[in-house]
Amino acid sequence: MNPLTSIIKESKRIVFFGGAGTSTESGIPDFRSQDGLYHQQYAWPPEEILSHTFFMRRPEEFYRFYRDKMSFPGAMPNACHKALARLEEMGKLTAVITQNIDGLHQKAGSKNVLELHGSIHRNHCMRCGRFFTFEDIMAKEGVPRCDCGGIIKPDVVLYEESLDGDTIEKAVTAIEQADTLIIGGTSLVVYPAAGMVHYFRGQHLVQINRDETSADRYCELSIHDSIGKVMQEVMDELEG
């Protein structure tokens, strides 16, 4: 039996902490791999485009990049998303904490999803606060504006912006109460999100990532493989 399957079998409060690598198998590029966004060439570095200052000064350029490289309306949940939703349904998994903004965990059926960096599916007018869907934004050309004339901003945390305090508190509590923490598809270099794993005091710390990370040295189990493949194999053993 896969050692991860054995761990999951004996666990009662699993928390999954995931990053961009969780969604790459759904066709959404990550940031820091060789083919990621930070290795592509634009008139401005992606880090600058995805900053609050840039958004306020050049919203048209922000939205050009956002629509081209951050929005994937056809993306569907992969085997990892589906496995996590199933583990929650089985009463094994208590929370998914994600750095992703794509909403694929919810699309797969997960209920308790804590989105540290926001979501492309929530958008608000900066002037009157009116809510807009992802589809509303994609249907507009150039800088999307509300009927009141205000610019519509996606509910995604840009550089220079703070994470939502309530979401952070819930994520830390979930990690503190977990007996197993699975870290998946994240390089653990984006803070303060990456620092949350240090609140774990449970029994099993597991990492699934294609490449080595700083977590390798203190994880009980590190698996360097496709996260979708690993989670599918685990579910096949659990339900087989």
Side-chain angles (χ1 to χ4, degrees), residues 4 49 79 91 98 111 118-119 169 173 178 184 202 222:
L4 179 55
I49 298 173
T98 181
K111 300 291 190 294
S119 171
E169 189 176 330
T173 299
S222 281

Side-chain angles (χ1 to χ4, degrees), residues 72-83:
F72 296 88
M76 297 299 290
N78 60 50
C80 176
H81 297 113
K82 294 174 183 175

Side-chain angles (χ1 to χ4, degrees), residues 14 19 30 33 62 73 90-91 101 106 119 123 142 147 152 157 162 195 204 211 224 227 232 235:
I14 301 169
D30 64 4
S33 70
F62 170 88
M90 293 165 66
I101 59 174
Q106 292 93 328
S119 171
N123 306 270
D147 292 341
I152 302 168
V157 179
S162 300
H204 303 292
D211 305 312
H224 298 300
I227 191 166
Q232 183 62 60
M235 295 312 297

